[in-house]
Amino acid sequence: MALTLAGLAAERPLGLRVLTGDDLLDRPIGWVHPTELTDPQAFLEGGELLLTTGLALDEETSPAYVRRLVGTGVAALGFGVGLSHEFVPRSLVATAGEVGLPVLEVPRETPFIAITRAVSRAVAADEYATTVRIGRAQQELTRTAVGRSGPAGVLRKLAKLVDGWVLLFDRTTVSEAAPASARAYGPSLREELERLRTGTRVVALEGQEVVLQTLDTGARRVLAVGAALDTAGRHIVNTAVSVLSLALEQDRAQAAAREALRTGLLELLVGGQAELALRVLAASGAEAPAAPWSVLVFAGPPAARRKLLGALENEPVFAARHGSTVVAIGAADVVTDAALRVGGLHGGLAGPV
């Protein structure tokens, strides 16, 4: 975590005294920049702790100087006393209090370089912690992707790593969610998903930032991450996109191979070579449904047939594509219940064989 003004002020050897902005000390310090310019705006990016001895400042010029600093977005002003000024100009303190600029008084005994070193150490430690966090997250996501939990496990791991929620969309339909309650966000993102063709899009949802990122897969899939992402978080999401794309494509290839195998086995059964078909089925690690078998054939739109095959994937039945139909062998009630849930299909049932 970046060093804050409160953290810097708490370093007792520096002897800093907070003059204004006690309620703003949670601001992170991006860097330190010493300057005696009365208008340093061109040399600032925002988020700096600006250090000055006020060489060119007085009671009249200080208010305008403070307002210029606020316009630039500096985190705070460190004013060194004991050189150009015995104390910080009163008008500077008053104006800073009005416009919300923290002012830290730097005693004569504290060189500016000591403050720079303190911030530099904190920045280096923060960058190292970020690097370590990214490395560990990449390892965890990779291990999860190649493990048994697959893409669903990657989503759960990602949600934990970024302390947020994650959705995986197949086009505009939620296919996976972590946690499960995050599915409720799906409908609210549908319009944004329709606009997103490729790449990344950041949207606001219920006051929270949501990152939408397309995956590099054959089918159109989008990852949605609802979390306050810092630098490490963005790198972690990019890693998750890569491993998810790979895992999903591997799943798709494996699913295509399983589908081709089932279709081949069905051809063997139709051809009367049941004994060979059962041996191949057993060799593939699957089990034949308990006999006797009911045989069901369903026709309907391609999408409905795909959903039926998916719905029967983990049921104790054998199902395969056969031309423009789906053939299922096993318990008739299990198959018909799945077909009714999918909808849009019509089919026929043969007696037990």
Side-chain angles (χ1 to χ4, degrees), residues 28-33 43-50 72-77:
I29 303 172
W31 194 241
V32 180
H33 183 66
F43 306 97
L44 301 175
E45 295 180 348
E48 298 91 352
L49 169 62
L50 192 70
T72 308
V74 299
L77 174 66

Side-chain angles (χ1 to χ4, degrees), residues 255-304:
R258 289 195 300 269
E259 183 177 308
L261 175 62
R262 288 195 296 262
T263 297
L265 293 174
L266 180 60
E267 294 294 340
L268 290 176
L269 290 171
V270 172
Q273 302 185 58
E275 185 178 344
L276 175 58
L278 292 175
R279 286 207 308 270
V280 174
L281 187 64
S284 69
E287 294 183 6
W293 298 341
S294 294
V295 181
L296 301 94
V297 181
F298 292 91

Side-chain angles (χ1 to χ4, degrees), residues 130-145:
T130 296
T131 301
V132 170
R133 180 186 168 199
I134 293 171
R136 288 176 177 171
Q138 289 173 338
Q139 292 176 350
E140 291 184 33
L141 288 169
T142 302
R143 281 196 299 266
T144 303

Side-chain angles (χ1 to χ4, degrees), residues 27 44-48 67-76 101:
R27 288 182 180 179
L44 301 175
E45 295 180 348
E48 298 91 352
R67 290 189 172 87
R68 284 194 292 271
L69 297 186
V70 171
T72 308
V74 299
L101 177 68

